[in-house]
Amino acid sequence: MNIQSIIQKEFNLKDFQVINTIKLIDEGNTIPFIARYRKEMTGELSDVVLRQFHDRLMYLRNLESRKEDVIRLINDMDKLTDEIKISIEKCETLQEIEDIYAPFRPKKRTRATMAKEKGLEPLALGILNYTIEDIDKEASIYINEEKGVNSIEEAIKGACDIIAEIISEDANLRKVIRNIALNEGIISSKGATEEDSVYSMYYSYSERVKTMAPHRILAINRGEKEGYLKVKLELSDDKIVHRISSSYIKNNERDISKYIIDSINDSYKRLIYPSIEREIRSHLTEIGEERAIRVFGENLKKLLLQSPVKGSVVMGFDPAYRTGCKIAIVNQNGKLIDTTTIYPTAPQEDIETSKKILKELINKHDVNIVAIGNGTASRESEMFVAELIKEMDRDIKYIIVNEAGASVYSASEVANEEHPDINVSLRGAISIARRLQDPLAELVKIDPKHIGVGQYQHDVNQKRLEEVLNGVVEDSVNTVGVDLNTASYSLLQYVAGISKGVAKNIIAYREEVGEFKSRSELKKVKRLGPAAFLQCAGFLRIPNSENPLENSSVHPESYDICKNLLEKLGYTLDDVKNKNINNIEQRVREIGINSLSEELNVGIPTLKDIINEIKKPGRDPREESLKPIFRSDVLKIEDIKEEMVLKGTVRNVVDFGAFVDIGIKNDALLHKSQMSDKFVKDPMDVVSVGDIVDVRVISVDIQKQRVSLSMKGI
């Protein structure tokens, strides 16, 4: 198997892209570093494609390794033939290898293995190969009371058990049956109870395997796990049995064929069908999980890269009932400056005292925005805050913030290190306030799977989920860049090339020496060697450095190139620092990007990146995102009428649509069929988490507190 050729074909890449990317990965370079600083070598492959490339490369290498293992194992048994070896070498999936290895794999005691222990294998092979003329006469030879064969019938039955297992382990046959199941099989589900549930639509449901939507696969799996559904794979049994028979029945006229037919039926019902059903269900689950993980990953990335709200004093409002609403105020830099607890909600409903306390805090600290968590008692708290704002003679707004993971953060080691003297219950309010100011810096403190923008995230392979989500966080952090002098340990550990241990060493160095003056100082940090420096340096920023390049994504390895470029264009580093390079694009056009590339001996992609950086040193790419919607009044579902056109924020995107915050208690559903006049296969092609969208109300169900939306005709 030529791994390079397979990847080249699957990803539609050129030779040099595959060769160079494999080389870069094998050298230990991180995906963010390769994507950002080795564009010439990869042909400008994105971080998303590079991660897919990496996953496929690892799979194919595991495939090769497994082939070698299986060939060795079969050879150690002295059963390896040229035919078996060639078959293994041709395998394209791990499943195909396991099918070939199945007959040789050490087994638990089965009916067939027990029959073999009784010495009945020659009889089985004689029947299967049609070399027996008189079955009763031949079977009588194997009667042996000591071995437990007491009659001709027992001998034949044991031989048929061996034949059934031989048929079930036929790799070529299993491949054919598996393809039939994938292309023609039907997954059906029936209610295991008459109790109404969220799975009611699946109480009498069937769908072809090849057309099942990933979210329906996971819904059925969950319904089965919770005891509401019975699920099975429906196949054309007669067609499959006929296909098996065509491989093993050589002469229908011979009496011996009836024993093979019996063995085929037994093999299919007892061995093949259950095994194929497990494989197909597992295959579907894998599809469902991969899709759910991808959806979670894409939603998470959009959430992490939402525009920060800078320069505002924010009041974090963590709603609750009995235990009271927790309040935390943070200044423009996210530093905690005050906390309290109020009781405006049931059962206390001490609204007037709560208003008085908050008014005093708002005036005392010049609060601009109230960030309200979207959990329990959120909308009651929103109504309270809206009333409060109306009574105040100052410009103040509020916003609903996704608080998923705030409670996890509150009890975490990170929160304890940051706020050792603050009660655990108040830390959630701090997190809510800060995640409005800088979503990325705050959300990296929380295990990504606890950030509620997924679908069925608790049902999927947790190791794979963690791997993908950590990759998303890493890509997001490195896309934005990190302030070396203010970044938390939680943020630093996601910078390319920096481990958890090194992140702590950076913090320790900062506490001991003070602020970093240059990136080169990183080389003094314990355990941060040349390889790690190469990976991380370009993603770390020093805003107050004398050299403006230290506050850009220009990598130190390109500083000389950048300086030479500035000289050729008639600029200095001071011009960059003072942002006095407004006509740089015109000067580049006059000389020509190709000429500059040749003169400076640098690739065009890197050159373009350098030019973009010196145009806007310290630029935060998130600032180009849509700003969040701030409100000063509240909507009730009773206020919502059909045909109303509203502005909302996309909170979550799933396979069947999106949930949009339009300012009422529950997020409204925008089904994918209502996203466009054209067919929408994937809602992510139309909307993303954090998008601000105009929507029209198409139905309101006050009893169920549900609102349905449409984007058609707007």
Side-chain angles (χ1 to χ4, degrees):
M1 183 175 68
N2 188 320
I3 291 176
Q4 181 185 318
S5 298
I6 292 171
I7 291 179
Q8 185 174 338
K9 184 178 180 181
E10 289 180 357
F11 286 81
N12 192 26
L13 301 176
K14 295 176 180 175
D15 275 352
F16 84 92
Q17 290 177 290
V18 179
I19 294 169
N20 289 343
T21 303
I22 291 175
K23 181 173 182 288
L24 287 165
I25 289 171
D26 287 345
E27 287 173 349
N29 293 290
T30 62
I31 297 299
F33 177 80
I34 297 171
R36 183 67 179 80
Y37 296 112
R38 293 297 180 262
K39 291 182 177 180
E40 286 84 2
M41 291 184 72
T42 68
E44 299 187 77
L45 296 181
S46 70
D47 52 9
V48 174
V49 173
L50 284 168
R51 289 197 183 278
Q52 293 170 350
F53 184 112
H54 177 271
D55 288 348
R56 186 58 174 155
L57 177 63
M58 294 304 107
Y59 179 88
L60 292 173
R61 285 181 170 173
N62 287 338
L63 185 67
E64 283 297 281
S65 177
R66 185 57 181 158
K67 287 179 183 179
E68 292 172 6
D69 287 344
V70 169
I71 288 171
R72 175 181 53 77
L73 289 167
I74 297 175
N75 187 55
D76 288 347
M77 300 175 194
D78 291 327
K79 294 182 179 180
L80 183 66
T81 64
D82 289 342
E83 184 181 1
I84 292 172
K85 186 176 180 182
I86 291 169
S87 296
I88 293 171
E89 289 171 345
K90 285 182 178 178
C91 288
E92 296 180 356
T93 66
L94 288 167
Q95 183 61 62
E96 290 177 12
I97 298 173
E98 298 311 317
D99 283 349
I100 293 171
Y101 183 46
F104 307 97
R105 184 187 297 279
K107 295 179 177 65
K108 297 177 182 177
R109 282 173 62 79
T110 64
R111 281 162 49 173
T113 57
M114 287 188 282
K116 287 178 181 177
E117 289 169 3
K118 294 173 182 178
L120 296 172
E121 188 169 16
L123 178 61
L125 295 176
I127 295 171
L128 198 57
N129 296 322
Y130 285 84
T131 57
I132 296 173
E133 293 297 330
D134 187 334
I135 184 69
D136 287 347
K137 182 180 178 182
E138 185 70 22
S140 66
I141 299 171
Y142 295 90
I143 295 174
N144 186 326
E145 291 184 6
E146 288 184 8
K147 290 187 176 182
V149 183
N150 299 307
S151 65
I152 289 172
E153 289 74 17
E154 284 187 16
I156 294 174
K157 186 178 181 303
C160 287
D161 286 339
I162 295 171
I163 294 170
E165 189 166 275
I166 289 171
I167 292 170
S168 75
E169 293 176 344
D170 185 326
N172 291 328
L173 200 56
R174 287 184 71 89
K175 188 173 182 179
V176 170
I177 297 170
R178 190 181 299 112
N179 286 334
I180 291 172
L182 288 170
N183 291 303
E184 301 174 22
I186 293 172
I187 292 290
S188 67
S189 61
K190 298 188 185 305
T193 173
E194 294 182 1
E195 177 188 345
D196 188 31
S197 73
V198 293
Y199 307 105
S200 296
M201 69 170 287
Y202 297 111
Y203 283 4
S204 180
Y205 184 83
S206 64
E207 185 174 358
R208 282 190 175 275
V209 168
K210 67 179 180 181
T211 61
M212 281 200 80
H215 67 277
R216 287 200 289 273
I217 295 168
L218 296 180
I220 287 173
N221 284 359
R222 184 185 285 182
E224 182 182 40
K225 184 178 180 181
E226 293 180 4
Y228 289 99
L229 301 175
K230 291 182 179 178
V231 185
K232 67 176 292 188
L233 171 68
E234 295 180 359
L235 296 174
S236 176
D237 298 340
D238 291 343
K239 179 178 180 178
I240 294 173
V241 169
H242 178 74
R243 177 65 185 80
I244 300 171
S245 298
S246 66
S247 295
Y248 285 93
I249 304 297
K250 299 176 182 177
N251 186 346
N252 275 315
E253 303 300 319
R254 295 278 302 275
D255 289 341
I256 206 169
S257 291
K258 73 175 184 178
Y259 298 107
I260 301 177
I261 292 171
D262 288 345
S263 299
I264 289 170
N265 286 317
D266 175 49
S267 179
Y268 176 66
K269 291 176 183 176
R270 181 169 59 87
L271 301 173
I272 297 175
Y273 171 79
S275 176
I276 291 293
E277 183 182 40
R278 285 193 299 271
E279 283 183 26
I280 297 302
R281 293 290 306 280
S282 177
H283 169 73
L284 287 174
T285 298
E286 189 176 323
I287 290 173
E289 289 187 351
E290 277 299 312
R291 171 64 183 173
I293 290 169
R294 188 172 80 83
V295 168
F296 197 147
E298 292 189 22
N299 284 342
L300 177 62
K301 191 166 192 175
K302 294 293 183 181
L303 184 64
L304 293 173
L305 296 179
Q306 281 190 112
S307 180
V309 176
K310 296 181 177 178
S312 294
V313 178
V314 178
M315 174 182 286
F317 193 118
D318 189 1
Y321 289 118
R322 182 181 56 81
T323 57
C325 301
K326 309 303 184 292
I327 307 297
I329 299 174
V330 299
N331 69 10
Q332 293 94 330
N333 298 318
K335 182 180 178 182
L336 178 66
I337 52 179
D338 217 333
T339 63
T340 191
T341 301
I342 58 174
Y343 299 89
T345 55
Q348 293 91 338
E349 293 187 333
D350 190 357
I351 293 173
E352 292 309 313
T353 302
S354 298
K355 282 183 180 178
K356 182 182 177 183
I357 293 170
L358 288 200
K359 285 177 182 178
E360 290 176 356
L361 288 173
I362 288 169
N363 288 322
K364 178 182 178 182
H365 299 295
D366 288 328
V367 173
N368 310 112
I369 303 167
V370 180
I372 305 171
N374 67 341
T376 304
S378 174
R379 293 308 177 182
E380 292 87 340
S381 299
E382 180 186 10
M383 292 173 69
F384 164 75
V385 170
E387 284 182 20
L388 174 73
I389 289 173
K390 287 178 184 176
E391 297 174 10
M392 297 197 69
D393 186 22
R394 62 181 297 141
D395 184 18
I396 182 169
K397 304 287 185 184
Y398 76 82
I399 187 170
I400 303 296
V401 174
N402 184 342
E403 68 172 44
S407 58
V408 175
Y409 163 77
S410 299
S412 69
E413 184 181 337
V414 174
N416 193 52
E417 288 176 1
E418 290 184 336
H419 307 290
D421 302 323
I422 300 297
N423 188 283
V424 171
S425 63
L426 288 165
R427 294 172 184 169
I430 302 171
S431 179
I432 289 168
R434 284 178 173 172
R435 64 177 65 184
L436 176 66
Q437 291 181 319
D438 193 336
L440 181 62
E442 192 62 26
L443 291 173
V444 293
K445 300 173 185 176
I446 301 164
D447 186 335
K449 67 187 176 192
H450 293 303
I451 300 172
V453 287
Q455 181 185 15
Y456 298 106
Q457 62 262 37
H458 301 297
D459 298 340
V460 304
N461 183 303
Q462 294 301 296
K463 183 179 178 183
R464 174 67 178 154
L465 177 66
E466 181 179 5
E467 179 183 289
V468 171
L469 296 187
N470 283 340
V472 168
V473 177
E474 184 183 24
D475 290 339
S476 301
V477 168
N478 290 287
T479 294
V480 173
V482 172
D483 187 330
L484 185 54
N485 286 320
T486 62
S488 66
Y489 145 73
S490 303
L491 195 56
L492 284 168
Q493 67 179 340
Y494 283 107
V495 174
I498 295 181
S499 64
K500 290 182 180 181
V502 171
K504 289 185 175 180
N505 290 343
I506 290 174
I507 300 292
Y509 179 89
R510 207 166 65 194
E511 290 173 350
E512 180 185 346
V513 179
E515 289 192 343
F516 284 86
K517 300 295 190 299
S518 70
R519 286 164 165 167
S520 60
E521 272 188 79
L522 282 164
K523 296 174 182 178
K524 298 178 182 178
V525 173
K526 290 179 183 177
R527 291 172 51 201
L528 200 158
F533 179 81
L534 177 69
Q535 299 298 310
C536 74
F539 301 112
L540 296 167
R541 310 279 186 269
I542 305 176
N544 299 322
S545 175
E546 285 298 313
N547 182 352
L549 299 182
E550 302 273 82
N551 190 33
S552 74
S553 68
V554 177
H555 197 284
E557 67 182 5
S558 296
Y559 280 3
D560 288 342
I561 292 170
C562 185
K563 290 172 185 175
N564 291 336
L565 170 66
L566 289 169
E567 186 178 337
K568 286 185 179 297
L569 297 176
Y571 296 110
T572 64
L573 283 175
D574 284 339
D575 291 327
V576 176
K577 190 173 184 178
N578 299 323
K579 299 181 180 178
N580 186 27
I581 49 173
N582 295 330
N583 59 345
I584 186 172
E585 289 175 333
Q586 181 183 339
R587 296 190 188 183
V588 169
R589 281 196 299 272
E590 288 171 357
I591 298 174
I593 193 77
N594 290 327
S595 296
L596 283 170
S597 172
E598 290 177 12
E599 289 179 39
L600 297 169
N601 192 27
V602 62
I604 290 177
T606 297
L607 183 57
K608 286 181 177 178
D609 284 345
I610 292 172
I611 293 168
N612 286 331
E613 280 302 305
I614 58 180
K615 276 163 51 181
K616 294 181 180 180
R619 177 182 63 94
D620 186 337
R622 296 174 297 170
E623 292 177 356
E624 298 171 6
S625 304
L626 293 167
K627 304 298 180 186
I629 297 176
F630 296 104
R631 304 182 189 277
S632 58
D633 205 353
V634 66
L635 272 177
K636 300 176 185 175
I637 193 168
E638 290 79 9
D639 301 327
I640 305 296
K641 306 297 179 188
E642 288 186 14
E643 298 305 314
M644 264 188 176
V645 175
L646 303 166
K647 199 172 284 290
T649 303
V650 177
R651 293 296 184 195
N652 200 3
V653 183
V654 293
D655 277 339
F656 54 83
F659 291 97
V660 182
D661 177 3
I662 55 171
I664 59 174
K665 184 172 183 179
N666 297 322
D667 291 338
L669 174 63
L670 173 63
H671 193 271
K672 67 179 184 179
S673 63
Q674 293 296 327
M675 288 181 173
S676 172
D677 291 323
K678 298 177 181 177
F679 173 73
V680 176
K681 182 178 181 181
D682 186 349
M684 287 188 170
D685 294 337
V686 183
V687 295
S688 300
V689 168
D691 282 358
I692 310 298
V693 292
D694 291 318
V695 289
R696 178 167 49 85
V697 178
I698 57 174
S699 71
V700 182
D701 187 331
I702 293 177
Q703 185 177 353
K704 292 185 177 179
Q705 295 285 297
R706 292 177 183 170
V707 175
S708 295
L709 306 173
S710 176
M711 290 171 62
K712 291 182 177 180
I714 297 179

